[in-house]
């Protein structure tokens, strides 16, 4: 019934279309709540726990426009939609940099013992509508720095993981260490960084910082 509804959603503004949709939905609502045929449409919809079809269709239209970047009405005030970097701002394909990473061998009894140099652990999470990330710097089994980051509730765990990696790279830039290991449990984020063609804004920002670290070596290691 809602197939390609994002294309014909404007038609639901017509009273004739809304009446036809309500008439169709009323029969299903009555059967769901097992009410008499004389019950009103509003009562049947409430008892059946259904939303009017015209509202569902407008919702599908809004979601389609949001995914395609055609509408910003759903965004909170003062917030912008995350978009890929424009092609004009990306590096030339011949100069595009891929950030490689290594996987930690979980079968090794001491997988981190073979990693030389300081280690930065990153993590992102979303719990009970709250989104955040954390970064911790360890040197010789001693924690020397710790940061917690709060993100807007509309952000995803993926964005939190990427932002944590960005802040970790910035932390490396501010240090004097030549070899720093960044460990993340987000395989999808590491795969994104290894793709030189990605236009993700945070991946682009990480690469920009990476380019300035000509005298430093970093490894992005996934802890699985």
């Amino acid at each position: 019934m809602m197939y390609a509804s994002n294309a014909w959603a404007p038609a639901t503004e017509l009273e004739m279309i809304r009446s036809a949709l309500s008439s169709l939905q009323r029969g299903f609502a009555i059967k769901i709540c097992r009410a008499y045929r004389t019950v009103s449409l509003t009562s049947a919809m409430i008892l059946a726990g259904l939303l009017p079809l015209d509202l569902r269709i407008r919702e599908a239209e809004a979601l389609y426009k949001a995914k395609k970047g055609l509408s910003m009405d759903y965004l909170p005030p003062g917030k912008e939609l995350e978009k890929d970097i424009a092609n004009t701002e990306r590096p030339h394909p011949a100069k595009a940099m891929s950030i490689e990473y290594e996987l930690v061998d979980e079968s090794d009894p001491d997988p981190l013992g073979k990693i030389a140099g300081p280690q930065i652990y990153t993590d992102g999470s979303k719990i009970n509508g709250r989104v955040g990330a954390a970064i911790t710097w360890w040197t010789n089994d001693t924690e020397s720095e710790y940061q917690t980051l709060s993100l807007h509730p509309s952000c995803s765990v993926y964005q939190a993981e990427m932002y944590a990696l960005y802040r970790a790279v910035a932390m490396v830039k501010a240090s004097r260490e030549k070899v720093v290991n960044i460990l993340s449990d987000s395989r999808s984020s590491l795969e994104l960084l290894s793709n030189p063609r990605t236009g993700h804004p945070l991946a682009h920002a990480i690469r920009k910082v990476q380019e300035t670290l000509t005298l430093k070596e970093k490894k992005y290691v996934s802890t699985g």
Side-chain angles (χ1 to χ4, degrees):
M1 180 62 196
M2 294 181 59
Y3 178 75
S5 57
N6 55 283
W8 54 272
T12 57
E13 297 179 0
L14 301 176
E15 181 64 30
M16 178 182 65
I17 300 298
R18 290 200 300 269
S19 297
L21 293 173
S22 298
S23 178
L24 173 66
Q25 194 174 20
R26 182 174 180 272
F28 289 98
I30 290 176
K31 290 183 179 180
I32 291 174
C33 65
R34 297 182 179 181
Y36 292 105
R37 289 185 296 175
T38 55
V39 71
S40 66
L41 171 64
T42 303
S43 300
M45 295 284 285
I46 293 175
L47 293 173
L50 299 177
L51 286 174
L53 269 177
D54 61 303
L55 295 182
R56 290 293 305 277
I57 291 170
R58 299 309 293 265
E59 179 188 37
E61 178 193 26
L63 289 174
Y64 174 80
K65 289 183 176 180
K67 291 179 180 179
K68 297 297 182 179
L70 303 176
S71 174
M72 306 296 175
D73 297 338
Y74 66 95
L75 289 177
K79 300 299 179 181
E80 297 182 1
L81 182 67
E82 183 182 82
K83 296 182 179 180
D84 282 354
I85 299 297
N87 291 331
T88 55
E89 299 180 11
R90 301 186 190 186
H92 189 277
K95 298 181 180 180
M97 180 178 59
S98 174
I99 300 178
E100 303 297 332
Y101 69 92
E102 300 174 8
L103 295 177
V104 171
D105 186 4
E106 296 182 352
S107 62
D108 192 328
D110 186 20
L112 302 181
K114 300 178 181 179
I115 300 178
Q119 302 165 5
I120 299 179
Y121 297 86
T122 68
D123 189 30
S125 63
K126 184 172 186 177
I127 302 176
N128 297 328
R130 302 178 63 182
V131 185
I135 308 169
T136 177
W137 181 303
W138 288 74
T139 304
N140 297 327
D141 297 330
T142 302
E143 185 181 37
S144 58
E145 188 173 353
Y146 180 84
Q147 294 182 12
T148 56
L149 313 168
S150 297
L151 282 74
H152 193 273
S154 62
C155 294
S156 63
V157 176
Y158 182 70
Q159 289 174 312
E161 294 279 6
M162 286 295 298
Y163 186 64
L165 285 171
Y166 168 70
R167 292 295 294 266
V169 175
M171 187 184 295
V172 174
K173 181 181 178 181
S175 71
R176 296 183 178 180
E177 299 289 344
K178 292 186 177 181
V179 178
V180 179
N181 302 276
I182 300 178
L183 295 97
S184 170
D185 61 353
S186 177
R187 181 74 177 271
S188 57
S189 299
L190 300 176
E191 288 289 346
L192 180 69
L193 291 174
S194 65
N195 180 9
R197 297 184 178 181
T198 181
H200 194 282
L202 285 174
H204 180 73
I206 290 174
R207 289 200 183 95
K208 293 291 287 185
V209 177
Q210 175 83 350
E211 291 174 359
T212 64
L213 300 175
T214 55
L215 299 179
K216 299 179 182 179
E217 176 188 358
K218 298 194 303 302
K219 295 180 180 179
Y220 293 79
V221 184
S222 172
T223 57

